[in-house]
Amino acid sequence: MSLPRGKDFRPSWPLTSGHIQTMLSSSGVRRLLLPRAARTVQDGAEAVLVDGGGGVRLTGAYTAQKSRARPRGLAVLFHGWEGSVDSTYVLQTGSRLLADGWDIFRLNFRDHGDSHDLNEALFHSCRLDEVVHALGEIAARWPARPLALAGFSLGGNFALRAALQTSRVGIPLAYALAVCPIIDPAAGLFSLEESAPWFYQAYFMHKWRHSLLAKQKAFPQHRYFEMSELKQNLRGLTESLVRRHTDFGSLQQYLDGYSVAADALMAMQIPATILTARDDPVIPVGAFEQLRLPPNVELDIAEHGGHCGFIRGRDMTSFTDDYIAARFNAVADGTPGG
């Protein structure tokens, strides 16, 4: 049986609009309309504290499958920037994989999912080491095999970078899948500022400022920012925090620090898939078209889907649930090529 491809996603109007797909993907309306089955991964989930190394603690949620005598494997899911383990897309994907017999681990990045009080230092996108360390602990504590990883948006970027590291550090990751990952952060930042409609930057900035204020409240003795800095735009606030809280000499160096553009993924040792949409208004498709990839990394560009949307219709379910499940199941069945 062949695997689903991006070209198989053919929504009807008005879901052919990348903007509508993107706006619906994280909307409260979508969460209300989703069927109950899209939230079953929360039933009986165990709240978990994970060691990120060097005293770092990350939070997550583990759910054991109950449909099979033995699990197909362990699926680890990474949310996007300012998302969490309870983001709609994470719950949907987790619930679908759970129904197919996978054990599920949903990981929160630092300062996500109400975890602002766990670590004094601020989250930034180059904190890969703690995520890889956490992935190693997860693999050891729940040894169901194969171990497969999926991430969305910034979580997709983390998934690809983690997958580049796992072979080197001995983590038995079998497969990684990234949905609409950030490829070239500098291009993405420019796109949000210059090309995308104003409300995307406003949405992300609102969530980011709320998170930063929560961090400041958790550690009142530490000055993370000046209130005047919170009034800056995306580029300005990012640059201010990079200079305050990282060792990078410039904003560009920081953005390059988590880029997977050009030939960065040529070193990938395991099978991986990148799914994106040509009409994604948040992450420009040009960065994907310029990638140089080894044969074991699949690039799949759908015509429609927006940013992490791929919503089929009125029930608000996503094509990515079937897409991810089919590839994870193929890995578990030993037929990753479909």
Side-chain angles (χ1 to χ4, degrees):
M1 181 177 178
S2 62
L3 295 173
R5 309 287 175 182
K7 62 181 176 59
D8 299 324
F9 179 62
R10 294 187 289 268
S12 58
W13 185 89
L15 293 175
T16 50
S17 165
H19 293 304
I20 290 177
Q21 286 279 350
T22 302
M23 288 186 287
L24 284 176
S25 66
S26 298
S27 72
V29 172
R30 182 186 185 194
R31 183 177 285 262
L32 286 173
L33 293 177
L34 277 174
R36 177 69 188 89
R39 295 185 287 271
T40 55
V41 73
Q42 292 176 306
D43 297 340
E46 173 190 354
V48 178
L49 202 60
V50 185
D51 179 16
V56 174
R57 297 172 295 166
L58 302 178
T59 62
Y62 171 75
T63 312
Q65 65 84 34
K66 297 183 175 71
S67 61
R68 298 164 61 99
R70 296 181 59 185
R72 281 185 186 266
L74 176 64
V76 179
L77 304 179
F78 289 171
H79 58 77
W81 184 41
E82 295 304 332
S84 77
V85 298
D86 291 324
S87 290
T88 301
Y89 50 88
V90 175
L91 296 180
Q92 274 199 199
T93 301
S95 296
R96 171 56 196 277
L97 291 169
L98 188 71
D100 280 6
W102 288 80
D103 290 342
I104 310 297
F105 194 96
R106 296 169 285 142
L107 181 71
N108 275 321
F109 298 139
R110 178 196 293 239
D111 295 347
H112 289 73
D114 298 325
S115 66
H116 299 80
D117 60 344
L118 282 180
N119 305 284
E120 186 170 354
L122 203 63
F123 169 82
H124 62 72
S125 298
C126 291
R127 293 197 185 279
L128 178 64
D129 288 350
E130 63 194 45
V131 174
V132 172
H133 194 285
L135 189 59
E137 185 188 344
I138 292 164
R141 289 173 66 177
W142 293 281
R145 297 291 180 268
L147 172 66
L149 172 63
F152 301 82
S153 193
L154 180 59
N157 170 279
F158 267 95
L160 292 172
R161 286 185 291 143
L164 286 169
Q165 299 290 330
T166 52
S167 299
R168 180 179 60 81
V169 298
I171 298 172
L173 184 65
Y175 176 67
L177 192 153
V179 178
C180 299
I182 295 173
I183 298 296
D184 182 348
L189 187 66
F190 177 82
S191 174
L192 271 178
E193 287 184 330
E194 304 294 339
S195 305
W198 65 270
F199 47 81
Y200 289 120
Q201 184 174 178
Y203 171 79
F204 285 116
M205 290 302 295
H206 172 75
K207 296 190 74 174
W208 191 19
R209 290 179 181 121
H210 178 79
S211 177
L212 289 171
L213 289 169
K215 186 70 172 184
Q216 187 63 78
K217 184 178 179 180
F219 294 94
Q221 74 281 9
H222 191 94
R223 176 173 286 183
Y224 292 100
F225 49 81
E226 300 292 343
M227 292 305 294
S228 60
E229 291 174 324
L230 286 188
K231 299 177 182 178
Q232 297 179 105
N233 62 12
L234 180 60
R235 180 179 295 269
L237 182 54
T238 302
E239 184 167 15
S240 293
L241 296 181
V242 164
R243 293 190 180 280
R244 275 180 178 266
H245 300 287
T246 78
D247 295 327
F248 293 100
S250 68
L251 174 61
Q252 187 62 52
Q253 287 180 8
Y254 166 70
L255 296 173
D256 289 344
Y258 66 104
S259 172
V260 291
D263 61 356
L265 296 174
M266 287 297 294
M268 185 74 73
Q269 298 297 306
I270 64 171
T273 298
I274 300 169
L275 171 66
T276 193
R278 194 170 298 280
D279 63 358
D280 185 337
V282 176
I283 301 181
V285 72
F288 296 90
E289 294 174 327
Q290 294 167 21
L291 286 171
R292 292 191 291 278
L293 301 171
N296 53 303
V297 179
E298 171 191 28
L299 174 61
D300 195 355
I301 302 176
E303 289 301 313
H304 305 289
H307 186 63
C308 295
F310 296 93
I311 296 168
R312 289 193 182 95
R314 292 182 180 179
D315 67 353
M316 295 291 143
T317 60
S318 177
F319 168 78
T320 57
D321 299 340
D322 290 339
Y323 188 96
I324 294 170
R327 280 163 173 73
F328 276 33
N329 293 343
V331 169
D333 296 341
T335 57

